[in-house]
């Protein structure tokens, strides 16, 4: 599990550096190791699955990213219940996925819902809450609502 955790963290760092192919490879390896070590029903598997989906979103591999996000959301909800912050986090990713694939109404709705949930559960200054706010602000800016976008940046 330690190796898989290190690979998962490496994948996240490579993704932030824009090294998507290397990030994807490390994330897929981490996911395979976690699957063997803890099983696919384990929440750690879902967390790594979400990480791979984020990388795939960045690479534009939207179909696979969407499938992985749906699976991760189901696993996390089964493990923690629908009100847990990790469920809100992956559902926020799903909101971005829907927005990027053209389902703008569903995407915006999920982004709004999950931003509110993360703000409530983790606080306004938490990293995940700020990411959710940035995503929602981009939607507002793209749809001609700069005042709402600016309010999220405060």
């Amino acid at each position: 599990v330690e190796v898989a955790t290190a690979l998962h963290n490496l994948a996240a760092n490579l993704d932030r550096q824009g090294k998507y192919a290397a990030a994807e490879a490390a994330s897929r390896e981490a996911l395979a190791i976690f699957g063997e070590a803890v099983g696919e029903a384990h929440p750690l598997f879902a967390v790594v699955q979400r990480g791979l989906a984020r990388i795939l979103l960045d690479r534009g591999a939207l179909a696979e990213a969407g499938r992985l996000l749906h699976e991760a959301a189901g696993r996390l909800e089964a493990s923690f219940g629908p009100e847990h912050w990790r469920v809100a986090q992956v559902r926020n990713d799903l909101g971005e996925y829907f927005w990027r694939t053209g389902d703008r109404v569903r995407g915006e709705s999920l982004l709004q819902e999950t931003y509110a949930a993360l703000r409530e559960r983790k606080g306004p200054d938490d990293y995940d809450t700020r990411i959710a706010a940035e995503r929602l602000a981009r939607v507002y800016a793209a749809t001609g609502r700069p005042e709402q976008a600016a309010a999220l940046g405060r």
Side-chain angles (χ1 to χ4, degrees):
V1 173
E2 293 82 17
V3 171
T5 300
L7 283 167
H8 174 65
N9 292 335
L10 173 64
N13 285 327
L14 291 167
D15 185 46
R16 280 190 287 276
Q17 295 172 31
K19 298 176 180 176
Y20 302 125
E24 181 181 342
S27 188
R28 286 189 189 281
E29 188 173 349
L31 190 64
I33 294 170
F34 269 114
E36 290 179 21
V38 299
E40 292 185 8
H42 196 282
L44 281 176
F45 183 84
V47 169
V48 176
Q49 192 174 38
R50 174 190 174 254
L52 174 57
R54 290 288 328 148
I55 292 164
L56 293 171
L57 277 175
D58 290 341
R59 292 196 81 181
L62 300 179
E64 186 180 4
R67 180 184 58 78
L68 291 171
L69 289 170
H70 278 98
E71 289 175 9
R75 286 182 172 107
L76 289 169
E77 190 167 332
S79 294
F80 298 124
E83 301 303 314
H84 195 274
W85 67 266
R86 285 205 180 272
V87 175
Q89 183 186 48
V90 74
R91 287 175 47 83
N92 188 264
D93 294 332
L94 276 167
E96 181 181 3
Y97 162 78
F98 287 126
W99 177 263
R100 289 171 77 178
T101 58
D103 191 346
R104 301 289 169 99
V105 172
R106 189 172 181 188
E108 182 176 337
S109 177
L110 261 178
L111 289 170
Q112 290 170 336
E113 171 191 318
T114 56
Y115 166 67
L118 287 166
R119 186 176 169 85
E120 177 185 315
R121 293 176 194 132
K122 295 189 85 180
D125 297 324
D126 178 79
Y127 175 79
D128 293 318
T129 304
R130 289 193 319 266
I131 293 296
E134 289 170 12
R135 289 177 182 164
L136 187 55
R138 284 195 301 269
V139 167
Y140 289 154
T143 55
R145 295 176 280 173
E147 298 83 17
Q148 286 177 280
L152 288 170
R154 294 183 196 137

